[in-house]
Structure formats: structure tokens, C-alpha cells
Amino acid sequence: MELDKYIEKVLVSQKEIETVTKSLGAKITKDYKNKKPLVVGLLKGCIPFMSDLIKHIDTNIELDFMNVSSYYGGIESTADVKIEKDLSVTVKDRYILIAEDIVDSGRTLNAVIKLLEYRGAKEVKVVTLLNKPEGRLIDYVPDYIGVDIPKLFVVGYGLDYKEQLRNLPYVGVLKPEVYTKDFN
Ligand code: IMP
Ligand code: MG
């Protein structure tokens, strides 16, 4: 496709994403029988993954969303986690499953988990498509992981560079010249 021109290499193909999403869905179906979890997507990166994942969850769930930002559009992490959009429903006494595109430093999830626990959630777990173990700044292991990847900046399937390329159907590494060029 036209957008392939920005990509140096494909790290997780469409096919692999499909396989991984299906297998995560099957595990979640088993673990959440009769628990009616609230699946909380972290916008905007969760959109393609969450949309595909929930179609493989064969038990009752509800959906909600939060928008929490830590990257502010560039490629460097900051220590701040800001809540831009909060949940519409209460989490008190509920099983919460957070759906995330990627876990890097672990700060975003650490902050969100603490907040939902403070609000009285019965249990807070996390499903993430991608995991960058080498990026960790705090000790944290997600409950359900799709694919472990090296410490590289990736885009596609929800992940952005300057808010773009979320619509790529695979996860890829940006060409270095894209960083140095004006990309607006
Ligand atoms: P953390 O708080 O450092 O774990 O950051 C998690 C958030 O940073 C994710 O939800 C993404 O929005 C963003 N992020 C981390 N790594 C990447 C990447 O390689 N590409 C695009 N966004 C990323
Ligand atoms: Mg995100």
C-alpha cells in the first residue's frame, strides 16, 4: 500500500496479529467466564487491536474507553501521565481488563491500574498486543501479552508517529529518514 513507503521493515505481520489476537481471545474467554469484565481500551492506540480481540472473546463483556497520554506525539517518553478522557461507568467491584497497544516503560499502565484500584475495582488486569521488556522503567509484567518486541520505535495497527500511521494493518519500524524529514 501507499503508506508502506514510510516503513523500513514489518515487525509483526497482519497474519501474525490475527493468530495472536485469536489466541488471546480464547484465553480471555476461558479466564473471564461468568465475570462479565469491563474491557477498558486505552485510546487511541487500542482501536484496531481491541476491535479484533473482542470478536474472539466468547463470553459476556462490556466496553469502555479512557484516553491517557504519556508520549505527546513524539518518540520520547515523559514521566507525566495525563487523563484526557475518563470512563463513563463506575469500576467499583468489577473485573477490569485494560486493552493496550503496547507496554514500554510501564508508567502509563502503572498509573491507570493504581487509579482503577483506588476507585474500588475488584481486579485489574491488562492485555497488550505488544510488549517491550527492555523499555521498562518500573517493574511490571502485563497479564496477557501478544508479542514481545525489541526496543524499537514501531508504528501501525494503532501505534502512531505524530498521530499518523495508526491505520497501517501491520506493525512496522519507521525508516530513519522519516524522523529527520518534516512529517506533519
Ligand atoms: P509507557 O507508559 O512507556 O509504557 O508507554 C505506553 C504508551 O506509549 C503506549 O500506549 C503508546 O501510546 C506509546 N508508545 C510506546 N512505545 C511506542 C512505539 O514504539 N510507537 C508508538 N507509540 C509507542
Ligand atoms: Mg497508547
Side-chain angles (χ1 to χ4, degrees), residues 13 30 33 63 73 75 78 94 97 106 139 143 153 157 165 173 175 177 182-183:
S13 70
K30 217 164 105 221
K33 271 249 131 83
L63 305 182
I75 58 166
T78 71
R94 296 205 59 172
L97 179 63
D139 194 18
D143 305 276
F153 187 77
Y157 201 71
L165 302 175
V173 182
K175 281 185 182 157
E177 62 257 36
D182 258 333
F183 184 91

Side-chain angles (χ1 to χ4, degrees), residues 42-46 68-70 100-102 108 158-160 166:
L42 299 189
L43 296 168
K44 303 163 211 164
C46 72
V68 184
S69 63
S70 62
E100 175 65 306
D101 50 2
I102 190 166
T108 308
L159 295 140
D160 72 299
R166 294 188 196 273

Side-chain angles (χ1 to χ4, degrees), residues 42-46 68-71 74-75 77-78 80-81 100-110 130 132 135-137 149-156 158-161 166 172:
L42 299 189
L43 296 168
K44 303 163 211 164
C46 72
V68 184
S69 63
S70 62
Y71 264 55
I75 58 166
S77 182
T78 71
D80 292 84
V81 175
E100 175 65 306
D101 50 2
I102 190 166
V103 182
D104 185 9
S105 73
R107 282 171 175 153
T108 308
L109 278 172
N110 188 49
L130 305 174
K132 272 191 219 175
R136 260 346 162 267
L137 293 172
I149 64 165
K151 202 171 181 236
L152 289 169
F153 187 77
V154 293
V155 293
L159 295 140
D160 72 299
Y161 175 58
R166 294 188 196 273

Side-chain angles (χ1 to χ4, degrees), residues 28-114:
I28 291 167
T29 299
K30 217 164 105 221
D31 295 353
Y32 284 90
K33 271 249 131 83
N34 303 319
K35 290 186 173 168
K36 208 203 284 164
L38 180 68
V39 181
V40 173
L42 299 189
L43 296 168
K44 303 163 211 164
C46 72
I47 293 286
F49 174 53
M50 187 170 171
S51 159
D52 286 344
L53 175 72
I54 58 174
K55 289 175 246 175
H56 296 293
I57 302 179
D58 187 15
T59 190
N60 293 321
I61 62 170
E62 288 179 23
L63 305 182
D64 205 351
F65 297 92
M66 278 177 102
N67 186 358
V68 184
S69 63
S70 62
Y71 264 55
Y72 305 113
I75 58 166
E76 277 175 50
S77 182
T78 71
D80 292 84
V81 175
K82 194 167 134 213
I83 300 197
E84 317 256 15
K85 182 210 171 288
D86 210 337
L87 295 169
S88 317
V89 300
T90 171
V91 299
K92 187 146 175 44
D93 299 325
R94 296 205 59 172
Y95 289 92
I96 308 298
L97 179 63
I98 299 172
E100 175 65 306
D101 50 2
I102 190 166
V103 182
D104 185 9
S105 73
R107 282 171 175 153
T108 308
L109 278 172
N110 188 49
V112 176
I113 292 167
K114 283 212 173 102

